[in-house]
């Protein structure tokens, strides 16, 4: 039996569908926040470097997540 993965936006809770233009954000050790397109995220960074991954449904939620990360860093 195959496994089906579903993702929800970590900002607004929207469920990912096939044609969405999603982003992933990775918080890496230290004050580093990396925002990537959905398809490129696995090629750009090693999974063992990531402390936290965010799934973001579009540009609006990606900007909100980046703003939160910037506020938390000081």
């Amino acid at each position: 039996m195959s496994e089906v993965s579903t993702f929800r936006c970590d900002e607004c809770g929207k469920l990912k569908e096939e044609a969405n233009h999603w982003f992933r954000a990775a918080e890496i050790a230290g004050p580093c926040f990396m925002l990537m397109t959905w398809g490129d995220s696995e090629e750009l960074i090693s999974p063992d470097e990531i402390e936290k991954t965010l799934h973001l449904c579009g540009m609006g939620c990606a900007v909100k997540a980046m703003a939160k990360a910037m506020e938390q860093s000081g």
Side-chain angles (χ1 to χ4, degrees), residues 26-34 45 51-52 69 73:
E27 293 181 12
I28 304 165
C32 184
F33 182 84
M34 181 181 283
I45 189 161
E51 291 183 358
K52 182 179 177 183
S73 69

Side-chain angles (χ1 to χ4, degrees), residues 7-24:
F7 297 95
R8 285 201 177 271
C9 178
D10 289 312
E11 275 299 313
C12 72
K14 181 179 179 179
L15 188 63
K16 184 171 184 340
E17 297 173 3
E18 195 66 32
N20 298 58
H21 299 288
W22 282 51
F23 295 91
R24 286 188 183 171

Side-chain angles (χ1 to χ4, degrees), residues 14 38 59:
K14 181 179 179 179
W38 190 266
M59 190 181 309

Side-chain angles (χ1 to χ4, degrees), residues 50-70:
I50 298 173
E51 291 183 358
K52 182 179 177 183
T53 300
L54 299 174
H55 306 95
L56 304 161
C57 70
M59 190 181 309
C61 286
V63 169
K64 288 177 189 175
M66 185 173 16
K68 285 181 184 177
M70 291 171 73

